Amino acid sequence: MDTISSIGPSTPQWNIDRPFLTGQFHQEVTLTSGFAESKGNSVDLRFESEKPIGCYSASVQELIVIDDLLSTLIGIEGRYISINRVRGNEDSFSFHVEGSMDLALQESSKRIFPLCRSYLLINQFVESRSQFKSGLVNHAFAAALRAFLLDYQAMVAQLEHQFRLGRLSIQGLWFYCQPMMGSMQALSIVIRKALSCNFVGSAVLNLLQNQAKVMAGNYLVRSLLEKMIEYANSAYLGILERWVYEGVIDDPHDEFFIAENKSLKKESLTQDYDAMYWRQRYSLKDDIPCFLANSAETILTTGKYLNVMRECGHSVQVPALENSKLMNFGSNDHYLECIKSAYDFASGELLNLMKEKYGLIGKLRSIKHYLLLDQGDFLVHFMDIARDELAKTPNEISVEKLQSLLDLALRSTAAAADPLHEDVTCSVDICSLLKRLSTLKDLQTGDTMPETDALEESLSITGVETFSVNYKVQWPLSLVISRKALTKYQLIFRFLFHCKHVHRQLCAAWQVHQGARARDMHGTGISTSSILCRNMLKFINSLLHYLTFEVLEPNWHVMHNKLENAKSIDEVIQYHDFFMEKCLKECSLLLPSLLKKLEKLKLICLQYAAATQWLMNSIESPPYTNNSSHSLENLKVLKLRKPSKKPNSPTEESTVIECVLKFEREFTAELQSLRPILSSRDQAEPYLTHLAQLILGVGMDQQM
């Protein structure tokens, strides 16, 4: 709930020291049931200085009481009526009459005291809430009350004139006060609650709105409260107008329902994975005016859009409509039309700015080319020239050398015609894909990521597993293509890049087999190895086909069509985020158990491809007398690096067949272990049905 803050200058001391300027001149007493105890010495002395009112006749007493009541109505004590402030409760006043007064006159006076009490309370609110620290809404409300009190004082002056003419009786005074009683009572209820809770800003507006609803049956009182709401709203709508027309929060008293977190900078979007700039730079507070509650999100979004354009140096000028001033608040909800018009303008203008000036769609298409390998001709050249560097461990790789090789590949291929290719940079991670996925806690993985031995991983992974491509994105495109989005693109790139590498290695192995056939080399070992190589190639081709043609391309076209029809930048962000999440999920990156199986299969393919050349050479080379056997475990270490010396090779074809069959059994076992994983999930995840049909078909062919 909003409360009065200490922002701004304080009230001068001289204003506090002169209570008659602020209406704080009434004596304080302890409220008790006995009049004699409550009136205090000063009252006692003053009453003693006057003759007791009971000494006068009833007609004279009536004139004296009317004169005192006219003074009491504007907060001034009379000769026989005293006003005291209750000690410990500055919002409460007590009124007392001299004890010898005629009982009928006492009762008549007491009926008018609530009106006097309401005046004192309202006047006190006006004086206290006119201070700077009270906020613009309280200032406007106090000004409206001050104008209302002028009408009230004019009524008292007219009554006094009638009294001077001898035309006013105690009953007449009560009659003429009746129209003001309801209005003053309703205002005093609002003010008493506002004073007790120190309301400012939205809280005051909501309080007035609620009281107006309560008084819906009293037309005059409701009309008065609605007028007070209009005056109080004028200051608040002034702040709102600058926000929805300029994207600026001009709120010196912290009353507006939108909070600004200046510690969040737009640069964090390109640096921090968990950047909260777009969601938390400007946010809604809990206390929102009830008449703006349904439009709060629209108002917040409108100002955010205008603020983005202003920070881009783009001139922002919301087109003026007829009566477009939000200050014109009324029951016809015209202000809602102004807000909707401002939102439509800001939304369309920012979207056009992002698409036309900053080329959002072109950037996303370029990212698709380089990170989703839509046009991977540069990648083939890069993998050729960077083979030796990628074979090193992440700590041994020179990122600068990789960057120069990547630039060379980009300039030597069709990518050179793309003006955005200069935004592509390379990066090398320090951990495997599985490990990186486990560190991103916001990703909704289907099950728990498997734990890996950090030492074993650091020794086994190479640049092929950790290489990735980065992309330079500037403000304001970083709202859509943030660090989080780029990280997700990189995860998909790493998976695709490694699959491409496995495919290249298996193609090289297949060429070795074709070379052996060209030399008329026949035998069971070559035939068995050739079949295994063919099945591995079919597996990796099926996986790449699924990733590119079953996942990335269809989802990209769906997103692209949605972006073309998007109405706001928030919709663009939503569609893009949904595209990324769906691609990650359907690429199996959010299913650790399935991903681990696929990584294991790729590892077997790499081990086999690395051992193929050795297997072919072992068939061609003459027999060795020493070390006539070589274990499969020794073959598996031959992955990417060239061995420092030629290993001892088995010479007999039966040994070669045995090695190939071990690869085949391991590959088949891992492939078949995918079946229960895919079948258990294909009901909840229909996209896995396509993956199962493509990959498990390899196992069927192998068994035939």
Side-chain angles (χ1 to χ4, degrees):
M1 194 68 71
D2 292 335
T3 57
I4 292 178
S5 63
S6 60
I7 300 174
S10 59
T11 304
Q13 188 62 35
W14 57 262
N15 185 267
I16 299 174
D17 293 340
R18 300 176 67 181
F20 280 91
L21 291 176
T22 57
Q24 305 290 327
F25 55 86
H26 298 103
Q27 293 184 7
E28 287 190 357
V29 298
T30 302
L31 187 62
T32 61
S33 57
F35 169 71
E37 296 177 357
S38 65
K39 64 184 179 180
N41 292 334
S42 62
V43 178
D44 211 16
L45 290 172
R46 192 190 67 240
F47 278 171
E48 287 181 357
S49 63
E50 299 282 350
K51 292 176 62 176
I53 193 172
C55 298
Y56 300 102
S57 64
S59 58
V60 175
Q61 286 188 40
E62 182 178 3
L63 295 175
I64 295 173
V65 169
I66 293 173
D67 187 53
D68 280 5
L69 285 173
L70 290 173
S71 298
T72 307
L73 284 171
I74 55 175
I76 300 175
E77 292 182 329
R79 289 176 295 172
Y80 297 100
I81 299 178
S82 64
I83 306 174
N84 301 110
R85 186 185 305 277
V86 178
R87 183 174 287 112
N89 188 355
E90 295 185 354
D91 304 336
S92 182
F93 298 89
S94 61
F95 296 85
H96 304 286
V97 296
E98 206 270 334
S100 62
M101 184 184 297
D102 182 75
L103 293 178
L105 293 175
Q106 287 189 35
E107 292 301 319
S108 297
S109 299
K110 290 178 182 178
R111 289 190 299 176
I112 300 177
F113 286 162
L115 182 60
C116 305
R117 187 177 291 109
S118 296
Y119 171 82
L120 288 170
L121 189 62
I122 295 172
N123 188 64
Q124 177 180 323
F125 180 87
V126 169
E127 295 297 337
S128 63
R129 293 306 184 264
S130 296
Q131 299 176 14
F132 184 89
K133 65 180 182 180
S134 300
L136 296 178
V137 174
N138 273 327
H139 292 171
F141 185 31
L145 289 173
R146 185 179 283 110
F148 174 74
L149 289 182
L150 288 177
D151 293 339
Y152 172 83
Q153 290 166 352
M155 179 202 74
V156 176
Q158 291 173 353
L159 290 174
E160 185 178 7
H161 178 67
Q162 294 295 318
F163 175 65
R164 300 302 177 207
L165 295 177
R167 300 174 183 172
L168 187 66
S169 64
I170 189 74
Q171 293 298 327
L173 178 62
W174 166 246
F175 173 79
Y176 288 119
C177 287
Q178 284 298 307
M180 276 289 183
M181 291 290 287
S183 300
M184 296 288 280
Q185 183 67 22
L187 289 175
S188 64
I189 292 173
V190 173
I191 288 170
R192 184 171 283 107
K193 188 168 184 179
L195 286 171
S196 62
C197 299
N198 284 334
F199 282 164
V200 296
S202 304
V204 176
L205 299 179
N206 289 334
L207 186 61
L208 285 168
Q209 291 274 0
N210 293 335
Q211 188 63 24
K213 291 178 181 178
V214 171
M215 303 303 296
N218 189 325
Y219 175 76
L220 293 177
V221 175
R222 188 191 65 204
S223 299
L224 173 65
L225 289 173
E226 288 177 351
K227 188 175 183 181
M228 293 294 160
I229 293 171
E230 182 177 349
Y231 276 106
N233 273 336
S234 62
Y236 201 85
L237 292 177
I239 303 173
L240 177 62
E241 185 174 299
R242 286 212 66 188
W243 174 249
V244 298
Y245 286 164
E246 301 177 37
V248 176
I249 294 182
D250 184 9
D251 184 21
H253 303 281
D254 195 27
E255 299 175 280
F256 199 39
F257 65 90
I258 295 176
E260 179 180 8
N261 186 352
K262 295 184 178 180
S263 64
L264 295 176
K265 305 297 183 183
K266 61 179 182 290
E267 291 76 16
S268 64
L269 288 168
T270 58
Q271 301 168 0
D272 185 7
Y273 179 85
D274 295 316
M276 305 298 290
Y277 177 87
W278 186 242
R279 283 178 287 177
Q280 294 186 2
R281 169 71 181 198
Y282 297 101
S283 57
L284 294 176
K285 298 178 182 177
D286 293 333
D287 202 8
I288 301 174
C290 54
F291 68 95
L292 293 175
N294 294 332
S295 305
E297 287 291 343
T298 302
I299 293 169
L300 172 65
T301 305
T302 302
K304 286 168 66 175
Y305 291 168
L306 295 173
N307 188 267
V308 170
M309 289 187 282
R310 195 165 47 82
E311 292 199 17
C312 292
H314 183 69
S315 59
V316 180
Q317 184 64 46
V318 177
L321 300 176
E322 184 180 358
N323 297 326
S324 61
K325 285 286 186 181
L326 289 176
M327 314 294 284
N328 298 330
F329 173 81
S331 58
N332 58 357
D333 294 340
H334 173 69
Y335 66 98
L336 296 177
E337 298 176 9
C338 296
I339 292 170
K340 181 64 168 60
S341 174
Y343 170 77
D344 292 340
F345 168 80
S347 176
E349 193 74 8
L350 178 59
L351 195 57
N352 289 334
L353 184 71
M354 297 276 273
K355 288 184 177 180
E356 303 298 332
K357 183 177 180 180
Y358 293 98
L360 172 63
I361 303 299
K363 279 282 186 182
L364 290 173
R365 190 176 290 113
S366 178
I367 289 176
K368 178 171 179 273
H369 292 337
Y370 299 117
L371 275 83
L372 301 184
L373 304 182
D374 179 28
Q375 295 177 355
D377 56 336
F378 81 95
L379 191 65
V380 176
H381 186 36
F382 173 75
M383 294 177 80
D384 286 335
I385 61 179
R387 179 180 56 214
D388 294 337
E389 195 67 24
L390 291 174
K392 300 176 182 178
T393 63
N395 294 330
E396 297 172 344
I397 291 176
S398 170
V399 179
E400 293 77 11
K401 185 176 181 179
L402 270 185
Q403 182 63 53
S404 64
L405 294 173
L406 179 62
D407 292 338
L408 178 61
L410 290 170
R411 290 194 297 267
S412 305
T413 58
D418 181 9
L420 299 176
H421 79 271
E422 295 181 356
D423 293 332
V424 180
T425 60
C426 70
S427 63
V428 178
D429 206 343
I430 60 174
C431 60
S432 67
L433 180 61
L434 278 168
K435 185 70 174 178
R436 178 56 60 202
L437 284 166
S438 67
T439 62
L440 303 178
K441 303 300 183 183
D442 66 305
L443 297 180
Q444 300 296 321
T445 57
D447 45 19
T448 305
M449 284 286 183
E451 296 184 1
T452 56
D453 190 327
L455 179 60
E456 179 183 350
E457 180 182 86
S458 64
L459 294 174
S460 62
I461 63 173
T462 64
V464 175
E465 287 86 9
T466 58
F467 173 75
S468 182
V469 169
N470 205 351
Y471 200 90
K472 297 177 184 177
V473 180
Q474 302 298 327
W475 172 266
L477 294 184
S478 54
L479 287 172
V480 179
I481 313 170
S482 62
R483 169 47 49 194
K484 177 177 286 190
L486 280 174
T487 300
K488 294 176 180 179
Y489 275 115
Q490 289 175 325
L491 294 173
I492 298 174
F493 173 87
R494 289 178 63 179
F495 191 48
L496 286 172
F497 182 79
H498 194 249
C499 289
K500 292 280 188 180
H501 170 71
V502 174
H503 181 263
R504 283 170 58 84
Q505 297 300 102
L506 289 175
C507 286
W510 180 255
Q511 289 175 359
V512 171
H513 286 86
Q514 296 302 103
R517 289 184 177 182
R519 294 192 296 273
D520 293 329
M521 293 178 59
H522 301 284
T524 308
I526 293 178
S527 300
T528 305
S529 181
S530 180
I531 294 173
L532 177 59
C533 186
R534 186 192 67 182
N535 282 309
M536 287 183 172
L537 269 172
K538 186 173 181 181
F539 159 73
I540 199 66
N541 280 327
S542 298
L543 181 58
L544 282 170
H545 174 86
Y546 168 76
L547 295 175
T548 53
F549 295 103
E550 299 284 343
V551 177
L552 297 179
E553 281 295 332
N555 286 324
W556 165 264
H557 286 294
V558 170
M559 180 194 70
H560 184 268
N561 292 335
K562 288 183 177 179
L563 293 184
E564 292 293 336
N565 299 318
K567 302 298 183 183
S568 69
I569 200 65
D570 275 304
E571 287 187 9
V572 170
I573 295 173
Q574 178 185 347
Y575 296 149
H576 183 251
D577 289 347
F578 180 77
F579 164 73
M580 292 307 308
E581 290 294 331
K582 192 172 184 185
C583 287
L584 283 172
K585 186 176 182 181
E586 295 187 2
C587 285
S588 306
L589 296 179
L590 301 185
L591 299 173
S593 58
L594 177 57
L595 181 60
K596 189 177 181 182
K597 288 292 182 183
L598 294 176
E599 291 295 314
K600 179 64 173 176
L601 283 166
K602 289 192 293 179
L603 178 61
I604 295 172
C605 292
L606 284 175
Q607 291 170 345
Y608 167 76
T612 298
Q613 184 66 51
W614 173 79
L615 289 172
M616 294 298 102
N617 290 339
S618 68
I619 297 175
E620 298 178 12
S621 60
Y624 285 89
T625 56
N626 297 327
N627 299 325
S628 60
S629 63
H630 197 288
S631 65
L632 181 63
E633 286 71 18
N634 291 332
L635 299 180
K636 292 183 178 179
V637 301
L638 303 172
K639 288 175 61 180
L640 286 175
R641 300 177 184 152
K642 296 178 180 179
S644 57
K645 61 178 181 177
K646 187 174 181 179
N648 295 328
S649 306
T651 57
E652 297 182 3
E653 187 175 354
S654 60
T655 306
V656 174
I657 295 175
E658 181 183 350
C659 294
V660 173
L661 289 177
K662 286 184 179 180
F663 275 116
E664 182 182 11
R665 285 194 297 270
E666 190 172 355
F667 177 73
T668 304
E670 289 294 334
L671 197 62
Q672 292 304 316
S673 67
L674 283 176
R675 186 180 298 276
I677 298 176
L678 294 174
S679 60
S680 64
R681 291 180 176 272
D682 60 0
Q683 295 295 328
E685 312 292 349
Y687 61 88
L688 291 179
T689 303
H690 300 285
L691 182 61
Q693 291 171 351
L694 290 170
I695 293 182
L696 295 182
V698 177
M700 295 177 184
D701 291 345
Q702 196 167 342
Q703 291 174 345
M704 292 177 61

